[in-house]
C-alpha cells in the first residue's frame, strides 16, 4: 500500500495514534475542532498520520471524530495522557504506537519519520528539549503496558515517573531535524491561537 503524499509505502508495524481525550479546559473549547488555515487541527493531524501509517486510531471517547477507517478508543483510565497512551497501546494490533496530540498547529511527517528511525533496543522514543520532554509526541512499545497498568491502577498518572521505569531513548534538541520547534508547537489557550494567527497573517 502506498500513501498519497509520496512514494514511501505505509508503515504497517506501528499504529498512528491521535490523542484526543483531553478536556481542553485552558482553551475553553474543543481544541480538536480549532481551525488553522481553513482546516481543523484534528483533520491536519489525521491527514499527516494517514500518510505514514497503515493503521491510525483516536485515543479518547470521540465518536464525533471517528470514522470506519480511523476509529476511536475510549480511555480505560480517563483523565490523563498516561491513560490515553495506555488505552492506545492496549487497542493497537502492532507492537509500537506513535502518539501525536490533536492540538499541533503544524504536524510534520518529517519529524515523525525521524523518530521512527530510533526505535531499537528501547521501550519508548521521546524528544527532549530545553522545555522538557514531549511525552505526547513519542513512540511507545507494548513493553510499557505492565508499568503503565500498575501506575494507573493505583491512581498515579505522573508520566515522568513512568519514564524512569522503562528503557527510554531520549532524542535531544541538537539531534532533532531543523524545524522541530514549529512541528511541536501546540495550542493550549486562546492567546496561543491569537499569537499564531498574528504571526502567520499575510
Amino acid at each position: 500500500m502506498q500513501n498519497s503524499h509520496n512514494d514511501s509505502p505505509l508503515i504497517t508495524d506501528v499504529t498512528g495514534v491521535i490523542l484526543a481525550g483531553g478536556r481542553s479546559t485552558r482553551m475553553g473549547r474543543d481544541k480538536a475542532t480549532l481551525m488553522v488555515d481553513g482546516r481543523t487541527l484534528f483533520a491536519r493531524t489525521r491527514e499527516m498520520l494517514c500518510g505514514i501509517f497503515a493503521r491510525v486510531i483516536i485515543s479518547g471517547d470521540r465518536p464525533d471524530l471517528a470514522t470506519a477507517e480511523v476509529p476511536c478508543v475510549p480511555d480505560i483510565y480517563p483523565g490523563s495522557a498516561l491513560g490515553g497512551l495506555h488505552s492506545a497501546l492496549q487497542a493497537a494490533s502492532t507492537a509500537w504506537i506513535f502518539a501525536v496530540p490533536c492540538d499541533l498547529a503544524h504536524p510534520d511527517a518529517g519529524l515523525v519519520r525521524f523518530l521512527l528511525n530510533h526505535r531499537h533496543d528501547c521501550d519508548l522514543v521521546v524528544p527532549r528539549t530545553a522545555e522538557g520532554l514531549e511525552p505526547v509526541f513519542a513512540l511507545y512499545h507494548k513493553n510499557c503496558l505492565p508499568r503503565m497498568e500498575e501506575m494507573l491502577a493505583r491512581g498515579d498518572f505522573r508520566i515522568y515517573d513512568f519514564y524512569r521505569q522503562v528503557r527510554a531513548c531520549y532524542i535531544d534538541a541538537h539531534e532533532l531535524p531543523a524545524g522541530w520547534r514549529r512541528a511541536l508547537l501546540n495550542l493550549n489557550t486562546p492567546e496561543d491561537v491569537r499569537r499564531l494567527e498574528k504571526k502567520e497573517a499575510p
Side-chain angles (χ1 to χ4, degrees):
M1 188 186 300
Q2 305 288 321
N3 72 49
S4 59
H5 300 285
N6 55 48
D7 295 328
S8 301
L10 291 173
I11 293 168
T12 57
D13 61 344
V14 181
T15 298
V17 174
I18 306 170
L19 296 169
R23 294 184 292 271
S24 303
T25 49
R26 283 189 290 167
M27 183 64 72
R29 54 167 294 195
D30 183 9
K31 290 192 288 187
T33 60
L34 284 174
M35 302 289 287
V36 172
D37 293 336
R39 283 158 55 236
T40 65
L41 295 182
F42 174 80
R44 295 160 68 86
T45 300
R46 180 185 60 199
E47 180 179 317
M48 185 267 288
L49 289 179
C50 286
I52 301 172
F53 302 108
R55 174 78 168 158
V56 177
I57 62 176
I58 303 163
S59 178
D61 190 12
R62 295 301 304 265
D64 56 313
L65 301 176
T67 63
E69 295 76 25
V70 182
C72 69
V73 178
D75 290 354
I76 300 167
Y77 297 95
S80 70
L82 189 65
L85 294 167
H86 167 265
S87 296
L89 274 171
Q90 287 275 33
S93 58
T94 55
W96 287 94
I97 64 168
F98 195 110
V100 177
C102 69
D103 61 355
L104 292 180
H106 304 290
D108 183 352
L111 183 55
V112 172
R113 292 185 181 278
F114 174 83
L115 293 176
L116 285 167
N117 291 331
H118 291 78
R119 55 189 165 103
H120 46 78
D121 299 325
C122 62
D123 299 320
L124 63 91
V125 182
V126 63
R128 180 170 58 185
T129 73
E131 288 75 43
L133 300 176
E134 296 287 343
V136 295
F137 190 96
L139 272 156
Y140 294 88
H141 192 275
K142 280 188 182 281
N143 289 343
C144 295
L145 274 172
R147 296 295 188 190
M148 288 181 172
E149 183 77 37
E150 289 171 11
M151 290 183 61
L152 291 164
R154 65 174 182 260
D156 184 354
F157 304 106
R158 293 171 296 192
I159 197 164
Y160 296 129
D161 289 353
F162 160 74
Y163 272 47
R164 290 194 285 269
Q165 303 179 52
V166 292
R167 296 176 302 163
C169 173
Y170 300 107
I171 309 298
D172 289 318
H174 70 274
E175 303 173 83
L176 295 171
W180 65 264
R181 289 183 186 279
R182 185 174 190 268
L184 293 176
L185 174 67
N186 62 340
L187 304 177
N188 290 311
T189 67
E191 181 56 35
D192 290 342
V193 177
R194 286 191 290 270
R195 193 180 301 118
L196 179 72
E197 290 172 344
K198 184 176 180 180
K199 183 177 179 181
E200 302 196 354

